[in-house]
């Protein structure tokens, strides 16, 4: 592999009541509270077609995750066999990119309210992509 450097720039931040990784839900459908995505003014045009009710994928940079972890006990359960992180949803991994499937509840300028986001308050948002339906609906 070549030694390449990539530069990612956050397009926004998560605003959430979740602040403690130890008590946050592990997945969005496990009791995550409503949260907001606050976007930078430079990406306002990118938000213009987001609609209430849409399901989107939010990519985040899990800035509080460890980057030196290659194997974990899934869900932190030591009774489960250690598994390579590429086969888990662990936040701790070489490139801690979070992938969150959320539902848009409201769009107000640069602020988007979403359901089912388990990311912590202040987490950088890297990108947002639509959830695609069957090929005939794309």
């Amino acid at each position: 592999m070549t030694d390449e450097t990539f530069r990612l720039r956050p397009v926004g931040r998560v605003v959430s009541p979740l602040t403690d990784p130890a008590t946050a839900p592990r997945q969005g459908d496990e009791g995550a509270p409503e949260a907001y995505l606050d976007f930078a003014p430079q990406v306002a045009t990118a938000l213009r077609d987001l609609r209430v009710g849409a399901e989107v994928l939010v990519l985040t940079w899990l800035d509080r995750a460890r980057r030196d972890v290659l194997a974990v006990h899934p869900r932190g359960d030591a009774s489960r066999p250690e598994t390579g992180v590429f086969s888990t949803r662990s936040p701790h991994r070489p490139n801690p990119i979070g992938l969150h499937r959320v539902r848009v509840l409201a769009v107000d300028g640069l602020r988007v309210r979403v359901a089912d986001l388990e990311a912590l308050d202040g987490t950088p948002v890297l990108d947002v992509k639509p959830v695609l339906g069957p090929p005939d609906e794309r």
Side-chain angles (χ1 to χ4, degrees):
M1 293 184 65
T2 62
D3 183 24
E4 295 185 46
T5 301
F6 296 93
R7 184 166 184 237
L8 298 172
R9 293 179 309 223
V11 295
R13 296 268 175 190
V14 171
V15 177
S16 171
L18 299 174
T19 58
D20 181 6
T23 59
R26 294 184 185 271
Q27 298 298 321
D29 63 356
E30 296 178 349
E34 290 182 3
Y36 292 90
L37 306 175
D38 278 355
F39 289 93
Q42 300 91 311
V43 299
T45 301
L47 296 168
R48 73 178 179 204
D49 297 305
L50 277 183
R51 300 287 181 251
V52 171
E55 286 190 287
V56 297
L57 298 171
V58 178
L59 286 84
T60 60
W61 185 259
L62 304 174
D63 57 326
R64 284 155 268 198
R66 290 180 46 197
R67 296 186 69 182
D68 61 340
V69 175
L70 299 178
V72 297
H73 293 281
R75 299 185 71 83
D77 182 351
S79 71
R80 296 173 77 174
E82 191 174 72
T83 304
V85 295
F86 294 159
S87 296
T88 75
R89 293 292 306 253
S90 173
H92 307 294
R93 51 199 323 113
N95 287 308
I97 297 171
L99 178 65
H100 317 270
R101 185 175 181 154
V102 304
R103 188 169 28 91
V104 175
L105 301 175
V107 179
D108 183 15
L110 295 172
R111 180 169 256 212
V112 177
R113 185 167 47 102
V114 297
D116 302 326
L117 180 60
E118 79 283 9
L120 300 177
D121 187 60
T123 299
V125 174
L126 299 176
D127 205 348
V128 176
K129 295 179 178 260
V131 171
L132 297 178
D136 60 334
E137 293 180 9
R138 294 183 195 159

